[in-house]
Amino acid sequence: MRKRLLTTSPFLTGLKLLAILPPVGIGWLIYLSRWQWLALLKHPRQFSRHDPLLGFIVLLMGITTLNLNHRDYRSVILSVLMLFVLGNLWLLCRESTQSIAWHEIRKFIIQFGLYITISGFAFHWLNQLLTLPTWLKFMLGDLLWGYAANQNRLFGSAYNPNDACCLLLIALGLLLTQLSHESAHPFTRWPLMNWFFVGLLCVGIYQTKSRTGLIIMIIILIMTTYQLCRHHRILVTTILTTGSLVVWHVFPRSASTITALQSRLTIWHNSFTVFKQAPYLGVTYFGFARRYLQLTGTYVPHAHDILLMLLASFGILGGAGFIYLVLSSGWHLTKYWYQYRTPNLRYFMMTLPIILAYGLTDFVLSSMQVLIIILLIIACWHHEQQLRPIIGPRQYQSPLI
């Protein structure tokens, strides 16, 4: 128990650095996870519980290793190394959630989202006054990755506006779930301040100018409004219908929506073609960009869709494994909700679909910041499932961890 407490503080420090100084935070968390694979080998019974995500990562490593026959050694080695680090990070997150309360993790993710919004405006203001050194912008996360057209979009310390939007949506989903149901651990003690933070997160999502993010945000807000105004749903429906007529006029980058959609469809089509060229073993994660460049003459780092990216990188088995994970998680969420109605399940039923929905239009897992936060949320869901009741379903009350 004491060992767990000693490892909790460095892990929380790593999470804070992940938001404020991303490269340092990523490096620190990778360093903390360095011996997780050894612990797995030394104590296999300790990790013998049902863990489909770990099995999925091992499966991807095996598929990638088989690509050595194709003589693309550099892509294979880099991809295996990336998956090895991913497996260690997953085991670290899974171990850390045994000793860190869920409400602490929720609070951190919401604070992370607020920091992205505030720092985004602050960095934009600073960049107008002075030219920050490139190394400092990189350390702060204020170094744009992507096209030059993205530079007027908010991304704070997340390097990329789409990655920032995903993190903001997760934070918004957690905060709205907490506000729409009674909680023993509110984000702040002042209700109006909580709603102010909701507004701030919404402004941040809008300023990222992500069309997908804004649509998901509107859906989340509508769902929460119906939950809070159960007795006034006709009035709410009328207001929302009227408001929807105004949305298009303020929708970000609406003039380029058709062009962006055509571009995305082209990327998806070409990514599927890459998959068809190597349907069984894929082209490896780091081999995707090179194969896409050979096919089209255009550099695209990923498929902008999580399923297509897995299919192209790891073949049929990689795609099938991902579909199994999604269906299995959805089935277990539904099963646990109908049987036990634990308070924590509301958060997972909100955030996990958000992650999946956003991943269908952009491969945000290419960002280590987003990846670590998603691993942390899945680890908390994994921990919740381990609290299996011994008594009857309706008598079971899970602690609000």
Side-chain angles (χ1 to χ4, degrees), residues 234-244:
I234 297 178
L235 177 61
V236 170
T237 303
T238 304
I239 294 173
L240 292 175
T241 303
T242 305
S244 64

Side-chain angles (χ1 to χ4, degrees), residues 331-342 345 389 392-396:
W331 183 80
H332 280 96
L333 270 173
T334 306
K335 171 187 172 183
Y336 274 66
W337 175 251
Y338 281 110
Q339 287 186 349
Y340 310 120
R341 302 276 179 173
T342 61
L345 286 179
R394 293 300 177 187
Q395 299 175 359
Y396 171 66

Side-chain angles (χ1 to χ4, degrees), residues 1 20 23 109 117 135 147 189 227 271 284 298 302 325 333 340 354:
M1 183 66 180
I20 301 172
I109 295 175
T117 302
W135 67 267
Y147 302 104
R189 298 180 181 179
Q227 287 180 349
S271 299
T284 75
T298 305
H302 53 74
L325 282 178
L333 270 173
Y340 310 120
I354 288 174

Side-chain angles (χ1 to χ4, degrees), residues 17-23 26 112 115-116 140-141 145 155-160 163-164 167 364-375:
L17 290 172
L18 185 71
I20 301 172
L21 297 171
I26 293 169
F112 192 180
Y115 178 75
I116 287 175
L140 295 174
W145 289 356
F155 55 92
S157 63
Y159 292 108
N160 184 285
D163 299 335
L167 292 169
V364 290
L365 295 183
S366 59
S367 164
M368 285 296 290
Q369 286 172 296
V370 177
L371 179 62
I372 290 172
I373 295 301
I374 291 177
L375 287 179

